[in-house]
């Protein structure tokens, strides 16, 4: 019977189509990105090999570092918002009536296209007719800011819809993990006199540490490559105030036609994502034996 | 959590006061405060979408001269008729449906074959191949954008739906395999062994026995894929230039530009673009919830 289930030809037949797609459309392109990063190239004409020059320019590019800083701020805020999501999930999972319904309502924004979310929040932030400023004027703030057009506020104004968009997603993940904790463990701690706070911190959190670790990676890496919403809401503006790495790359390639330089940014982005993933997994690996 | 235990004193000995049975007033109050908090979060999550629906039914005059919280006086359903017939919305809609369906079917079938070969068949290197697919989860699409753009240009696949369907498939294969994996591993091996004893071929086992058994998880994976593909933006925005091949996400983005001041039209366009997913969610919410949870927690 092993003969049938270890037929090499069939294995190759089942694996090859998918592997071919992943190799040609994901792996080959990332190698090419590294290669193009060594070129001076406008995307149409000849490529000129210029070695590491793009990377050297990149290291000194103040606009790039500004966008990288914005990406990292997004990552930081996304990681911090996980605490809030976790808090909500813990309450939600503690036998609250209608928890299922609430959880589903939280999830709805996650289902919408970032483009639609961006357009919707542009209307919410609209300086004169938006929902936000109408409320602010109504409660007596006479001169509310023009959120997305304000260089000091644009990035923060974009973080709110991001938190809004992903809340349900993370709450759902935490909720599912918390529901997997055996009731007997919580009950035993309760009988021993542990307070709800102690139960949450000392029993529930350690038990779902693996899941928390995954969500930190998802939130941080997701933020580092964040693009759609910013591209639509501000296009990186005003004056680069909300530019992130991915939008900077896109702009250099498809607006500035500097494909070599954009590839260098793309490759750098890839390396950052992989390194950050590795660090987070490594750094939180100590908690693994708890499971 | 402070609200649960306002005095903050450590509990010694009996835990009776925190048990639901006795339910002192403090606990009831804490429960109430938390409940209000959860409901407020729900309002925050849902209200912008309700507001969008409200202004999609308003005239420009109502939008600009009245409170944004007012209900539309005479719901202008003609906003919907207008945007549906005026631009290419109906065409974008059909394109979105076509690309989404084609990519979802291709992804789920290919991912099922891979997962079957990895979990149910015996060979060396299956973990390595699985790892290759899983690393794909961590790769940012932007790092592949320029080479894909130039490759599709060189192979005349640029501005061609095939490039979109194939990239959707490639980039969704990792997450789909991840969703299928646990389910396949939990399937009982006896069924396959019995089939082998009866002389069934491996293709027969896969297509006639295993695949039908995985229907529930395939449905879950298909729905997750559907949400991703329906909402995808950057690939279509980069690879497609003809209006006739654009999808809703990119189409509405360009289309909305014409209506800078007609919020009713913008609202109607957005509602049209999000409606299919919302309807799917209302019908299939349990599957979607389950799929998102199982697709992400296993890493």
């Amino acid at each position: 019977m092993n003969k049938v289930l270890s037929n090499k030809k069939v294995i190759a037949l089942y694996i090859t189509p998918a592997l071919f797609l992943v190799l040609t459309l994901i792996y080959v392109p990332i190698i090419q990105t590294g290669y193009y990063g060594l070129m001076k190239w406008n995307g149409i004409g000849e490529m000129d090999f210029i070695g590491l020059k793009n990377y050297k320019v990149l290291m000194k590019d103040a606009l790039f570092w500004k966008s990288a800083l914005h990406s990292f701020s997004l990552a930081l805020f996304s990681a911090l918002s996980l605490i809030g999501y976790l808090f909500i999930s813990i309450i939600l999972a503690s036998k609250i009536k209608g928890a299922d319904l609430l959880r589903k309502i939280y999830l709805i924004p996650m289902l919408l296209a970032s483009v639609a979310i961006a357009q919707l929040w542009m209307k919410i932030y609209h300086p004169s007719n938006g929902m936000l400023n109408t409320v602010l004027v109504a409660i007596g703030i006479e001169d509310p800011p023009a959120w997305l057009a304000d260089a000091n506020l644009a990035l923060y104004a974009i973080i709110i819809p991001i938190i809004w968009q992903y809340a349900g997603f993370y709450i759902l993940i935490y909720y599912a993990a918390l529901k997997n904790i055996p009731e007997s463990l919580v009950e035993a701690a309760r009988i021993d006199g542990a307070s709800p706070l102690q139960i949450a911190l000392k029993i529930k959190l350690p038990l779902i540490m693996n899941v928390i670790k995954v969500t930190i990676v998802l939130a941080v890496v997701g933020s580092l490559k964040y693009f759609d919403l910013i591209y639509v809401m501000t296009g990186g503006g005003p004056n680069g105030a909300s530019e992130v790495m991915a939008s900077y790359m896109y702009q250099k390639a498809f607006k500035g036609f500097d494909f070599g330089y954009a590839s260098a940014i793309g490759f750098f982005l890839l390396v950052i994502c992989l390194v950050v993933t590795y660090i987070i997994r490594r750094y939180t690996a100590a908690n693994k034996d708890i499971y | 959590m402070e609200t649960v235990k306002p005095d903050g004193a450590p509990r010694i000995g009996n835990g009776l006061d925190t048990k639901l049975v006795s339910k002192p007033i403090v606990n009831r109050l804490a429960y109430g405060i938390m409940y209000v908090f959860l409901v407020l979060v729900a309002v925050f999550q849902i209200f912008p979408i309700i507001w969008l629906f409200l202004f999609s039914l308003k005239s420009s005059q109502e939008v600009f001269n009245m409170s944004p919280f007012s209900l539309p006086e005479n719901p202008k359903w003609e906003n919907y008729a207008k945007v549906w017939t005026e631009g290419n919305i109906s065409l974008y809609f059909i394109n979105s449906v076509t690309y989404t369906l084609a990519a979802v079917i291709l992804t789920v079938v290919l991912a099922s074959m891979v997962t079957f070969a990895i979990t149910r068949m015996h060979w060396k290197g299956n973990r390595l191949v699985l790892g290759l697919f899983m690393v794909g989860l961590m790769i940012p699409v932007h790092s592949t954008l320029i080479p894909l753009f130039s490759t599709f240009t060189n192979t005349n696949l640029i501005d061609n739906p095939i490039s979109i369907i194939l990239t959707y498939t490639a980039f969704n294969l990792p997450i789909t395999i991840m969703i299928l994996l646990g389910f396949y591993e939990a399937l009982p091996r006896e069924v396959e062994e019995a089939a082998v004893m009866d002389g069934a071929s491996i293709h027969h086992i896969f297509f006639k026995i295993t695949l039908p058994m995985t229907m529930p998880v395939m449905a879950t994976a298909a729905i997750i894929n559907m949400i991703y593909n329906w909402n995808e933006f950057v690939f279509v925005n980069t690879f497609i230039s003809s209006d006739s091949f654009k999808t809703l996400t990119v189409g509405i983005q360009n289309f909305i530009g014409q209506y800078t001041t007609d919020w009713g039209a913008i609202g109607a366009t957005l509602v049209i673009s999000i409606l299919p997913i919302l309807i799917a969610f209302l019908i299939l919410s349990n599957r979607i919830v389950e799929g998102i949870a199982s697709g992400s927690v296993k890493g």
Side-chain angles (χ1 to χ4, degrees):
Chain A
M1 83 138 239
N2 273 340
K3 222 174 186 179
V4 181
L5 288 176
S6 54
N7 186 330
K8 289 272 175 345
K9 274 185 197 156
V10 174
I11 292 169
L13 184 69
Y14 282 16
I15 296 279
T16 310
L19 198 58
F20 175 77
L21 280 178
V22 168
L23 289 179
T24 51
L25 297 176
I26 301 181
Y27 283 94
V28 172
I30 55 177
I31 296 168
Q32 282 176 295
T33 297
Y35 174 70
Y36 293 167
L38 305 173
M39 304 287 157
K40 184 173 168 52
W41 182 39
N42 63 7
I44 314 157
E46 292 284 302
M47 285 188 209
D48 281 329
F49 182 82
I50 53 167
L52 291 173
K53 196 172 163 231
N54 281 330
Y55 293 93
K56 282 180 190 150
V57 175
L58 187 62
M59 290 304 124
K60 287 182 202 143
D61 184 347
L63 281 177
F64 171 74
W65 287 111
K66 198 171 152 190
S67 67
L69 185 71
H70 294 155
S71 290
F72 279 103
S73 317
L74 278 188
L76 182 70
F77 277 103
S78 304
L80 287 177
S81 63
L82 292 178
I83 300 171
Y85 302 148
L86 193 55
F87 177 71
I88 292 173
S89 319
I90 289 178
I91 308 178
L92 203 59
S94 62
K95 294 182 188 132
I96 289 268
K97 254 188 222 131
D100 264 359
L101 179 68
L102 286 169
R103 196 179 49 150
K104 281 171 191 166
I105 291 175
Y106 295 160
L107 193 64
I108 290 175
M110 161 80 190
L111 307 172
L112 312 184
S114 291
V115 175
I117 291 177
Q119 288 289 351
L120 168 58
W121 279 82
M122 283 163 77
K123 298 288 168 281
I124 291 176
Y125 283 132
H126 192 278
S128 49
N129 303 302
M131 194 159 74
L132 180 60
N133 278 2
T134 314
V135 173
L136 291 180
V137 169
I139 60 171
I141 296 167
E142 275 180 18
D143 201 12
W147 301 93
L148 294 170
D150 188 323
N152 295 319
L153 295 171
L155 190 66
Y156 301 100
I158 285 172
I159 288 172
I160 304 292
I162 297 177
I163 290 175
W164 178 79
Q165 180 180 14
Y166 286 101
F169 173 73
Y170 291 109
I171 291 172
L172 168 62
I173 293 175
Y174 290 144
Y175 181 85
L178 288 165
K179 280 286 169 193
N180 271 336
I181 295 175
E183 188 59 33
S184 57
L185 282 178
V186 178
E187 199 53 44
R190 199 173 286 149
I191 289 166
D192 285 345
S195 71
L197 183 64
Q198 284 172 320
I199 292 175
L201 289 180
K202 300 249 168 81
I203 295 177
K204 290 180 176 171
L205 281 190
L207 280 172
I208 63 164
M209 211 53 205
N210 260 343
V211 174
I212 294 177
K213 190 168 80 179
V214 174
T215 56
I216 295 174
V217 173
L218 285 177
V220 171
V221 174
S223 312
L224 291 180
K225 55 189 187 192
Y226 211 79
F227 176 77
D228 297 6
L229 206 112
I230 291 172
Y231 180 79
V232 176
M233 283 180 86
T234 62
N239 201 12
S242 59
E243 196 85 88
V244 291
M245 286 189 285
S247 66
Y248 191 61
M249 189 221 93
Y250 201 85
Q251 191 202 341
K252 284 284 174 199
F254 298 100
K255 294 210 175 94
F257 299 102
D258 196 346
F259 278 64
Y261 192 58
S263 295
I265 303 173
F267 194 72
F268 199 73
L269 179 62
L270 170 76
V271 172
I272 292 180
C273 285
L274 294 180
V275 168
V276 166
T277 305
Y278 179 77
I279 292 174
I280 296 173
R281 294 206 162 237
R282 188 69 198 268
Y283 188 68
T284 49
N287 298 311
K288 216 171 189 173
D289 48 323
I290 284 170
Y291 249 49
Chain B
M1 294 304 288
E2 257 66 39
T3 39
V4 190
K5 198 165 64 79
D7 55 330
R11 299 266 177 247
I12 313 152
N14 77 44
L16 279 178
D17 54 343
T18 55
K19 276 196 174 176
L20 285 168
V21 216
S22 54
K23 237 185 194 176
I25 289 171
V26 174
N27 258 11
R28 275 169 177 266
L29 191 67
Y31 186 87
I33 291 170
M34 283 179 180
Y35 205 77
V36 169
F37 172 69
L38 290 181
V39 170
L40 282 179
V41 175
V43 170
F44 177 66
Q45 289 300 102
I46 200 77
F47 193 76
I49 298 167
I50 295 172
W51 182 64
L52 169 69
F53 183 66
L54 286 182
F55 78 65
S56 78
L57 293 173
K58 289 179 179 178
S59 65
S60 289
Q61 183 153 11
E62 277 178 276
V63 170
F64 294 117
N65 297 337
M66 291 169 70
S67 156
F69 302 99
S70 65
L71 293 172
E73 276 173 357
N74 305 307
K76 285 190 69 178
W77 294 102
E78 55 266 38
N79 283 341
Y80 285 85
K82 181 175 141 196
V83 297
W84 184 261
T85 50
E86 224 171 61
N88 289 323
I89 289 288
S90 51
L91 179 66
Y92 300 149
F93 194 91
I94 292 165
N95 286 342
S96 275
V97 172
T98 314
Y99 304 168
T100 299
L101 282 184
V104 167
I105 293 169
L106 197 59
T107 311
V108 172
V109 170
L110 291 183
S112 295
M113 288 163 77
V114 170
T115 316
F116 179 79
I118 286 177
T119 58
R120 315 304 288 183
M121 298 184 73
H122 312 298
W123 49 295
K124 277 181 198 155
N126 58 350
R127 290 285 129 185
L128 183 78
V129 170
L130 179 63
L132 214 52
F133 282 108
M134 290 304 117
V135 173
L137 284 171
M138 288 302 148
I139 291 168
V141 294
H142 297 92
S143 300
T144 63
L145 212 52
I146 292 170
L148 287 176
F149 179 76
S150 78
T151 306
F152 288 141
T153 308
N154 294 335
T155 50
N156 276 329
L157 285 175
I158 205 79
D159 203 20
N160 183 329
I162 291 174
S163 62
I164 296 300
I165 294 167
L166 291 182
T167 31
Y168 283 5
T169 306
F171 278 90
N172 281 338
L173 275 169
I175 182 82
T176 311
I177 292 172
M178 197 168 169
I179 295 173
L180 299 179
L181 208 60
F183 195 92
Y184 267 83
E185 270 167 356
L187 285 178
R189 300 207 169 256
E190 286 77 8
V191 184
E192 283 152 18
E193 280 163 15
V196 173
M197 294 299 174
D198 289 347
S201 78
I202 188 80
H203 302 300
H204 186 93
I205 296 176
F206 174 63
F207 285 106
K208 292 278 161 66
I209 300 170
T210 313
L211 209 55
M213 283 163 73
T214 63
M215 275 319 249
V217 72
M218 276 204 291
T220 301
I223 294 161
I224 299 300
N225 267 284
M226 190 187 110
I227 296 172
Y228 286 172
N229 295 347
W230 184 268
N231 292 338
E232 203 282 328
F233 175 74
V234 73
F235 287 137
V236 180
N237 196 40
T238 313
F239 302 153
I240 298 292
S241 47
S242 312
D243 259 340
S244 55
F245 292 136
K246 279 179 184 160
T247 59
L248 264 180
T249 48
V250 173
I252 57 168
Q253 178 54 23
N254 302 342
F255 186 58
I256 279 172
Q258 309 166 26
Y259 295 115
T260 42
T261 53
D262 190 348
W263 285 30
I266 294 173
T269 314
L270 293 177
V271 171
I272 289 174
S273 80
I274 64 186
L275 216 50
I277 295 285
L278 279 187
I279 292 173
F281 184 62
L282 287 179
I283 301 171
L284 302 159
S285 57
N286 283 330
R287 277 230 167 284
I288 293 177
V289 164
E290 187 187 306
I292 292 174
S294 68
S296 351
V297 178
K298 287 198 202 95

